[in-house]
Short mmCIF file of all heavy atoms in Angstrom, two decimals:
data_model
loop_
_atom_site.label_atom_id
_atom_site.label_comp_id
_atom_site.label_asym_id
_atom_site.label_seq_id
_atom_site.Cartn_x
_atom_site.Cartn_y
_atom_site.Cartn_z
N LYS A 461 12.45 5.06 24.79
CA LYS A 461 11.38 5.86 24.41
C LYS A 461 11.73 6.59 23.14
O LYS A 461 10.82 6.78 22.27
CB LYS A 461 11.10 6.83 25.55
CG LYS A 461 10.25 6.22 26.64
CD LYS A 461 9.86 7.25 27.65
CE LYS A 461 9.00 6.51 28.78
NZ LYS A 461 8.58 7.51 29.76
N ARG A 462 12.98 7.00 22.98
CA ARG A 462 13.37 7.75 21.75
C ARG A 462 13.28 6.82 20.54
O ARG A 462 12.79 7.12 19.49
CB ARG A 462 14.83 8.29 21.85
CG ARG A 462 14.93 9.45 22.71
CD ARG A 462 16.29 10.01 22.66
NE ARG A 462 16.42 11.12 23.62
CZ ARG A 462 17.46 11.40 24.31
NH1 ARG A 462 18.58 10.66 24.14
NH2 ARG A 462 17.48 12.40 25.16
N VAL A 463 13.71 5.53 20.65
CA VAL A 463 13.56 4.58 19.59
C VAL A 463 12.20 4.35 19.28
O VAL A 463 11.81 4.27 18.06
CB VAL A 463 14.38 3.26 20.00
CG1 VAL A 463 14.11 2.17 18.98
CG2 VAL A 463 15.87 3.52 20.05
N ALA A 464 11.35 4.14 20.26
CA ALA A 464 9.91 3.88 20.05
C ALA A 464 9.32 5.03 19.33
O ALA A 464 8.53 4.92 18.43
CB ALA A 464 9.24 3.60 21.38
N ALA A 465 9.63 6.28 19.82
CA ALA A 465 9.06 7.45 19.17
C ALA A 465 9.45 7.63 17.73
O ALA A 465 8.67 7.94 16.87
CB ALA A 465 9.54 8.73 19.93
N VAL A 466 10.71 7.29 17.37
CA VAL A 466 11.19 7.34 16.00
C VAL A 466 10.45 6.28 15.17
O VAL A 466 9.97 6.61 14.07
CB VAL A 466 12.69 7.15 15.89
CG1 VAL A 466 13.13 6.95 14.49
CG2 VAL A 466 13.40 8.30 16.52
N ALA A 467 10.29 5.11 15.74
CA ALA A 467 9.64 4.04 14.95
C ALA A 467 8.11 4.37 14.73
O ALA A 467 7.66 4.22 13.62
CB ALA A 467 9.70 2.70 15.73
N VAL A 468 7.52 4.98 15.70
CA VAL A 468 6.11 5.39 15.56
C VAL A 468 5.99 6.51 14.55
O VAL A 468 5.10 6.52 13.71
CB VAL A 468 5.53 5.75 16.92
CG1 VAL A 468 4.15 6.48 16.76
CG2 VAL A 468 5.34 4.54 17.85
N ALA A 469 6.89 7.49 14.66
CA ALA A 469 6.85 8.65 13.75
C ALA A 469 7.05 8.20 12.32
O ALA A 469 6.38 8.69 11.45
CB ALA A 469 7.92 9.65 14.14
N VAL A 470 7.99 7.27 12.08
CA VAL A 470 8.26 6.77 10.75
C VAL A 470 7.03 5.97 10.24
O VAL A 470 6.58 6.15 9.10
CB VAL A 470 9.52 5.89 10.70
CG1 VAL A 470 9.68 5.30 9.37
CG2 VAL A 470 10.73 6.82 10.96
N ALA A 471 6.46 5.16 11.11
CA ALA A 471 5.26 4.37 10.69
C ALA A 471 4.12 5.31 10.36
O ALA A 471 3.40 5.11 9.37
CB ALA A 471 4.91 3.43 11.81
N LEU A 472 3.91 6.35 11.20
CA LEU A 472 2.84 7.27 10.85
C LEU A 472 3.02 8.06 9.59
O LEU A 472 2.11 8.42 8.94
CB LEU A 472 2.61 8.25 12.07
CG LEU A 472 2.10 7.59 13.36
CD1 LEU A 472 2.04 8.64 14.48
CD2 LEU A 472 0.68 7.06 13.13
N ALA A 473 4.30 8.29 9.29
CA ALA A 473 4.60 9.02 8.07
C ALA A 473 4.44 8.12 6.84
O ALA A 473 4.51 8.58 5.71
CB ALA A 473 6.04 9.53 8.11
N GLY A 474 4.18 6.87 7.07
CA GLY A 474 3.98 5.95 5.93
C GLY A 474 5.25 5.45 5.26
O GLY A 474 5.19 5.04 4.12
N ALA A 475 6.34 5.53 5.97
CA ALA A 475 7.63 5.06 5.36
C ALA A 475 7.59 3.51 5.25
O ALA A 475 7.25 2.86 6.17
CB ALA A 475 8.77 5.47 6.22
N PRO A 476 7.91 2.98 4.06
CA PRO A 476 7.90 1.58 3.86
C PRO A 476 9.10 0.86 4.53
O PRO A 476 10.11 1.47 4.74
CB PRO A 476 7.97 1.37 2.37
CG PRO A 476 8.74 2.61 1.94
CD PRO A 476 8.29 3.72 2.89
N GLY A 477 8.92 -0.38 4.91
CA GLY A 477 10.03 -1.22 5.30
C GLY A 477 10.51 -1.09 6.75
O GLY A 477 11.57 -1.55 7.03
N VAL A 478 9.79 -0.42 7.56
CA VAL A 478 10.24 -0.32 9.00
C VAL A 478 9.80 -1.60 9.70
O VAL A 478 8.62 -1.77 10.02
CB VAL A 478 9.65 0.93 9.67
CG1 VAL A 478 10.05 0.98 11.10
CG2 VAL A 478 10.08 2.15 8.91
N ALA A 479 10.70 -2.44 10.00
CA ALA A 479 10.37 -3.68 10.63
C ALA A 479 10.88 -3.74 12.08
O ALA A 479 10.29 -4.36 12.90
CB ALA A 479 10.99 -4.89 9.87
N GLN A 480 11.96 -3.03 12.32
CA GLN A 480 12.60 -3.10 13.64
C GLN A 480 13.47 -1.89 13.86
O GLN A 480 14.20 -1.55 12.92
CB GLN A 480 13.43 -4.39 13.68
CG GLN A 480 14.23 -4.59 14.88
CD GLN A 480 15.01 -5.90 14.84
OE1 GLN A 480 14.84 -6.69 13.97
NE2 GLN A 480 15.88 -6.08 15.79
N ALA A 481 13.44 -1.35 15.02
CA ALA A 481 14.42 -0.28 15.36
C ALA A 481 15.46 -0.88 16.32
O ALA A 481 15.10 -1.54 17.24
CB ALA A 481 13.68 0.89 16.00
N VAL A 482 16.73 -0.65 16.07
CA VAL A 482 17.78 -1.23 16.83
C VAL A 482 18.69 -0.09 17.26
O VAL A 482 19.18 0.68 16.46
CB VAL A 482 18.59 -2.25 16.01
CG1 VAL A 482 19.70 -2.81 16.85
CG2 VAL A 482 17.73 -3.34 15.49
N THR A 483 18.90 0.05 18.60
CA THR A 483 19.87 0.96 19.11
C THR A 483 21.23 0.39 19.00
O THR A 483 21.39 -0.85 18.93
CB THR A 483 19.59 1.34 20.57
OG1 THR A 483 19.80 0.17 21.35
CG2 THR A 483 18.18 1.91 20.77
N PRO A 484 22.29 1.20 18.92
CA PRO A 484 23.64 0.62 18.79
C PRO A 484 23.96 -0.41 19.90
O PRO A 484 24.61 -1.39 19.63
CB PRO A 484 24.55 1.87 18.90
CG PRO A 484 23.71 2.97 18.34
CD PRO A 484 22.29 2.63 18.81
N ALA A 485 23.47 -0.18 21.07
CA ALA A 485 23.74 -1.15 22.16
C ALA A 485 23.07 -2.47 21.96
O ALA A 485 23.46 -3.51 22.43
CB ALA A 485 23.29 -0.62 23.50
N GLN A 486 21.99 -2.51 21.14
CA GLN A 486 21.28 -3.74 20.86
C GLN A 486 21.75 -4.43 19.58
O GLN A 486 21.26 -5.46 19.23
CB GLN A 486 19.80 -3.49 20.74
CG GLN A 486 19.15 -2.91 21.96
CD GLN A 486 17.75 -2.42 21.70
OE1 GLN A 486 17.55 -1.81 20.68
NE2 GLN A 486 16.86 -2.69 22.59
N ALA A 487 22.59 -3.73 18.81
CA ALA A 487 22.96 -4.30 17.49
C ALA A 487 23.65 -5.61 17.72
O ALA A 487 24.46 -5.80 18.59
CB ALA A 487 23.94 -3.33 16.78
N PRO A 488 23.29 -6.62 16.91
CA PRO A 488 23.81 -7.95 17.10
C PRO A 488 25.28 -8.03 16.65
O PRO A 488 25.70 -7.40 15.75
CB PRO A 488 22.96 -8.81 16.13
CG PRO A 488 22.48 -7.92 15.13
CD PRO A 488 22.35 -6.54 15.77
N ALA A 489 26.00 -8.84 17.46
CA ALA A 489 27.33 -9.18 17.03
C ALA A 489 27.18 -10.28 16.01
O ALA A 489 26.35 -11.15 16.13
CB ALA A 489 28.18 -9.68 18.18
N HIS A 490 28.01 -10.27 14.99
CA HIS A 490 27.83 -11.23 13.91
C HIS A 490 28.91 -12.30 13.95
O HIS A 490 29.92 -12.25 13.29
CB HIS A 490 27.86 -10.54 12.58
CG HIS A 490 26.74 -9.56 12.48
ND1 HIS A 490 25.41 -9.93 12.17
CD2 HIS A 490 26.67 -8.23 12.57
CE1 HIS A 490 24.64 -8.94 12.15
NE2 HIS A 490 25.40 -7.86 12.38
N HIS A 491 28.69 -13.30 14.85
CA HIS A 491 29.62 -14.41 14.99
C HIS A 491 29.53 -15.29 13.75
O HIS A 491 28.45 -15.62 13.30
CB HIS A 491 29.34 -15.22 16.26
CG HIS A 491 30.24 -16.40 16.41
ND1 HIS A 491 31.52 -16.29 16.74
CD2 HIS A 491 29.99 -17.74 16.21
CE1 HIS A 491 32.09 -17.47 16.81
NE2 HIS A 491 31.21 -18.35 16.51
N ARG A 492 30.67 -15.70 13.18
CA ARG A 492 30.74 -16.52 12.02
C ARG A 492 30.70 -18.01 12.39
O ARG A 492 31.57 -18.47 13.14
CB ARG A 492 31.90 -16.20 11.18
CG ARG A 492 32.16 -14.75 10.93
CD ARG A 492 31.05 -14.18 10.01
NE ARG A 492 31.24 -12.80 9.81
CZ ARG A 492 30.59 -11.83 10.45
NH1 ARG A 492 29.64 -12.08 11.29
NH2 ARG A 492 30.88 -10.55 10.22
N ILE A 493 29.80 -18.78 11.87
CA ILE A 493 29.75 -20.16 12.15
C ILE A 493 31.00 -20.80 11.59
O ILE A 493 31.38 -20.53 10.50
CB ILE A 493 28.47 -20.85 11.54
CG1 ILE A 493 27.22 -20.24 12.21
CG2 ILE A 493 28.51 -22.34 11.62
CD1 ILE A 493 25.94 -20.60 11.57
N GLY A 494 31.62 -21.65 12.36
CA GLY A 494 32.77 -22.33 11.95
C GLY A 494 34.11 -21.65 12.34
O GLY A 494 35.22 -22.23 12.25
N GLU A 495 34.02 -20.40 12.85
CA GLU A 495 35.25 -19.77 13.29
C GLU A 495 35.48 -20.05 14.78
O GLU A 495 34.48 -20.20 15.47
CB GLU A 495 35.14 -18.23 13.10
CG GLU A 495 35.26 -17.83 11.69
CD GLU A 495 35.22 -16.32 11.56
OE1 GLU A 495 34.91 -15.62 12.50
OE2 GLU A 495 35.52 -15.85 10.44
N PRO A 496 36.64 -20.07 15.20
CA PRO A 496 36.93 -20.24 16.65
C PRO A 496 36.35 -19.09 17.45
O PRO A 496 36.28 -17.94 16.91
CB PRO A 496 38.48 -20.34 16.72
CG PRO A 496 39.01 -19.90 15.45
CD PRO A 496 37.90 -19.98 14.41
N ALA A 497 36.03 -19.32 18.68
CA ALA A 497 35.48 -18.27 19.50
C ALA A 497 36.35 -17.06 19.64
O ALA A 497 35.88 -15.99 19.84
CB ALA A 497 35.15 -18.88 20.89
N SER A 498 37.65 -17.28 19.50
CA SER A 498 38.58 -16.15 19.61
C SER A 498 38.53 -15.18 18.41
O SER A 498 39.09 -14.13 18.41
CB SER A 498 39.97 -16.64 19.77
OG SER A 498 40.39 -17.38 18.60
N ASN A 499 37.80 -15.58 17.36
CA ASN A 499 37.63 -14.74 16.19
C ASN A 499 36.18 -14.23 16.04
O ASN A 499 35.65 -14.22 14.93
CB ASN A 499 38.04 -15.48 14.98
CG ASN A 499 38.32 -14.56 13.80
OD1 ASN A 499 38.60 -13.43 14.00
ND2 ASN A 499 38.15 -15.05 12.57
N THR A 500 35.53 -13.88 17.12
CA THR A 500 34.25 -13.32 17.07
C THR A 500 34.29 -11.81 16.66
O THR A 500 35.41 -11.28 16.60
CB THR A 500 33.50 -13.46 18.37
OG1 THR A 500 34.26 -12.81 19.38
CG2 THR A 500 33.29 -14.87 18.78
N ALA A 501 33.16 -11.29 16.31
CA ALA A 501 33.08 -9.88 15.85
C ALA A 501 33.84 -9.02 16.89
O ALA A 501 33.68 -9.16 18.06
CB ALA A 501 31.65 -9.43 15.68
N GLY A 502 34.59 -8.09 16.35
CA GLY A 502 35.34 -7.18 17.22
C GLY A 502 36.71 -7.63 17.55
O GLY A 502 37.48 -6.92 18.17
N SER A 503 37.09 -8.85 17.18
CA SER A 503 38.36 -9.33 17.54
C SER A 503 39.40 -8.99 16.43
O SER A 503 39.08 -8.53 15.37
CB SER A 503 38.34 -10.89 17.64
OG SER A 503 38.10 -11.44 16.37
N VAL A 504 40.69 -9.03 16.80
CA VAL A 504 41.77 -8.92 15.85
C VAL A 504 42.47 -10.24 15.76
O VAL A 504 42.94 -10.80 16.80
CB VAL A 504 42.75 -7.84 16.29
CG1 VAL A 504 43.93 -7.72 15.32
CG2 VAL A 504 42.03 -6.40 16.41
N ARG A 505 42.49 -10.79 14.59
CA ARG A 505 43.10 -12.12 14.41
C ARG A 505 44.31 -11.97 13.47
O ARG A 505 44.26 -11.39 12.40
CB ARG A 505 42.06 -13.03 13.73
CG ARG A 505 42.55 -14.44 13.46
CD ARG A 505 41.48 -15.27 12.91
NE ARG A 505 41.95 -16.53 12.38
CZ ARG A 505 41.23 -17.37 11.78
NH1 ARG A 505 39.92 -17.17 11.57
NH2 ARG A 505 41.72 -18.56 11.31
#
């Protein structure tokens, strides 16, 4: 609800470029194509 409220408030304020609101828990991990699975985001190699 907070994320939705922020997105609506920003959209109503006319701020450009609001396409998606992402909470930290929803932020995507950025796995690199070609790297072994043991080297996914958050790993220490």
Side-chain angles (χ1 to χ4, degrees):
K461 284 186 177 180
R462 285 185 186 147
V463 169
V466 169
V468 169
V470 171
L472 290 174
V478 177
Q480 172 182 356
V482 179
T483 65
Q486 296 168 320
H490 298 284
H491 178 71
R492 311 294 178 256
I493 296 172
E495 287 184 349
S498 63
N499 196 26
T500 58
S503 67
V504 176
R505 179 176 169 186

